[in-house]
Amino acid sequence: MNDYPWGAGAATGVGSYPGDDPEEVLRTVLGEVPELPHLPELPARGPGADMVGRSAGLLVDLPVHLEPSGWRFSDRPGRDTVRTRDHLARDLDVLEEVAGTHDGPFKVQVCGPWTLASTIELRHGDRAIKDPGAVRDLAASLAEGVAAHVADVRRRLPAARILLQLDEPALPAVLAGTVPTASGFGRLRAIEEPVAEDVLRRTIDAACADGAAYPLVHCCARNVPYGLLRRAGAQALSIDLRHVPRRDDDAVGETIDAGVGLLLGAVPATDAALPPLRATAEPVRELWRRLGFPPARLARQVVVTPACGMAGASPRYVREALKRCRDTARMLFEAA
């Protein structure tokens, strides 16, 4: 079994939260999921704090700016790039101030190459995914920028073990050929699995070289390409438990059998009346029983999370949901 960076019975968040105070939200994360905290993302602060803009700010020599239709590549850095980098710099300063002595696993999140390529537009308006050369350039630029970002986080948290989460919610659509064109009237061609795998692998290899970070991929959409992600080098997968149908049993079972960690989204990501604790834990147990793996392995290999990012939730519910993740993980550990 893999050397998982988290301890048995761990819980964590996915990435985004409501609010605009990075210190307040980071303290909430550290307090509610201390076994595996992470760097919060606060898209409510505006452009450049969103998932795509934040990660586009990491690109090396590929500046972007904001159009009414979304993010687009630019000839030179402008105020949108500056604002994006300022948001991240502020977050990292707060991280160092509040959590600089953290000595356990710590997770950071960036947008993966395929989700970026299916979102950012080329200078003439088409999405980058339409141009294979643009995709290669974007992926290489992202890998270089993410490697520098990981190094910066490691410098600020010298005693921590860093986990790098690549967010790829658009990957199933990329593979299925359902990404809309910039006009919205058409669909872009499907990307073949070997091509998608190669681009993702190169990004992971470069960003996590020499053990700089433990790579995992988050995909909260349906039709998660488990085999592709595993072959590309993801050592753990973050998925929404609601989107794990029985037809995926073989692929999920192979993933577990290969020792790949699973971050299972078992708690609603937006305000909801939470059921009794056992009802939250039962779908995790049911999946494990269905696939025939020993209970003792569950608490070590599985991390409990919300179903997705929580930017649309209330601050009160965020605390409830993270506490429920932590309590569910503890129950699964104690029952193992």
Side-chain angles (χ1 to χ4, degrees):
M1 193 179 299
N2 284 3
D3 175 25
Y4 305 110
W6 55 81
T12 192
V14 173
S16 62
Y17 292 97
D20 58 8
D21 185 339
E23 180 175 347
E24 179 183 0
V25 179
L26 178 58
R27 289 189 185 278
T28 297
V29 169
L30 289 166
E32 298 297 342
V33 285
E35 301 90 353
L36 180 48
H38 64 100
L39 185 65
E41 299 164 348
L42 305 177
R45 289 183 292 181
D50 61 292
M51 178 180 72
V52 173
R54 185 178 178 92
S55 297
L58 297 173
L59 296 174
V60 176
D61 296 330
L62 285 179
V64 297
H65 70 279
L66 196 59
E67 293 278 343
S69 58
W71 292 98
R72 182 176 292 185
F73 289 119
S74 304
D75 292 327
R76 63 185 63 85
R79 63 182 180 181
D80 293 327
T81 298
V82 171
R83 182 176 57 236
T84 296
R85 291 173 179 170
D86 283 348
H87 281 314
L88 183 56
R90 166 66 175 149
D91 291 350
L92 293 175
D93 287 344
V94 167
L95 174 64
E96 186 173 9
E97 178 183 344
V98 174
T101 60
H102 180 73
D103 61 357
F106 191 90
K107 179 167 70 72
V108 296
Q109 307 82 217
V110 301
C111 199
W114 287 110
T115 297
L116 273 188
S118 64
T119 307
I120 299 178
E121 297 176 354
L122 301 169
R123 291 175 179 82
H124 54 75
D126 286 323
R127 298 184 191 275
I129 194 175
K130 188 175 182 180
D131 182 340
V135 171
R136 287 193 298 271
D137 290 345
L138 183 154
S141 174
L142 178 66
E144 184 178 351
V146 172
H149 175 53
V150 167
D152 193 5
V153 174
R154 293 182 70 188
R155 179 179 62 80
R156 294 168 186 265
L157 302 182
R161 184 174 182 187
I162 306 303
L163 287 74
L164 174 65
Q165 174 181 306
L166 293 176
D167 291 319
E168 284 285 19
L171 183 55
V174 167
L175 297 171
T178 58
V179 176
T181 58
S183 69
F185 295 116
R187 295 291 181 268
L188 296 171
R189 65 178 180 84
I191 301 298
E192 295 180 355
E193 279 209 12
V195 175
E197 179 186 325
D198 181 65
V199 167
L200 189 56
R201 183 193 305 110
R202 289 173 183 270
T203 305
I204 289 174
D205 287 349
C208 301
D210 300 321
Y214 179 95
L216 65 105
V217 175
H218 169 70
C219 184
C220 55
R222 299 182 186 277
N223 302 316
V224 175
Y226 295 95
L228 183 158
L229 297 177
R230 191 171 70 246
R231 293 189 301 271
Q235 295 184 32
L237 303 182
S238 172
I239 56 178
D240 184 342
L241 189 53
R242 297 170 303 173
H243 296 164
V244 186
R246 285 181 178 269
R247 68 171 182 271
D248 285 352
D249 278 3
D250 287 347
V252 177
E254 290 170 2
T255 298
I256 296 171
D257 196 47
V260 174
L262 285 181
L263 281 68
L264 293 181
V267 176
T270 54
D271 291 38
L274 295 177
L277 180 59
R278 290 185 179 278
T280 302
E282 185 53 32
V284 181
R285 286 178 172 146
E286 197 277 331
L287 173 68
W288 213 254
R289 283 196 299 265
R290 198 168 82 217
L291 296 176
F293 290 98
R297 186 170 173 176
L298 188 159
R300 190 72 187 90
Q301 195 163 353
V302 168
V303 176
V304 179
T305 75
C308 199
M310 302 187 72
S314 66
R316 175 195 58 79
Y317 179 74
V318 163
R319 291 184 175 85
E320 290 180 6
L322 292 180
K323 181 178 186 300
R324 174 54 61 91
C325 290
R326 187 180 76 242
D327 291 346
T328 302
R330 183 179 295 124
M331 171 179 279
L332 294 169
F333 171 63
E334 291 173 351

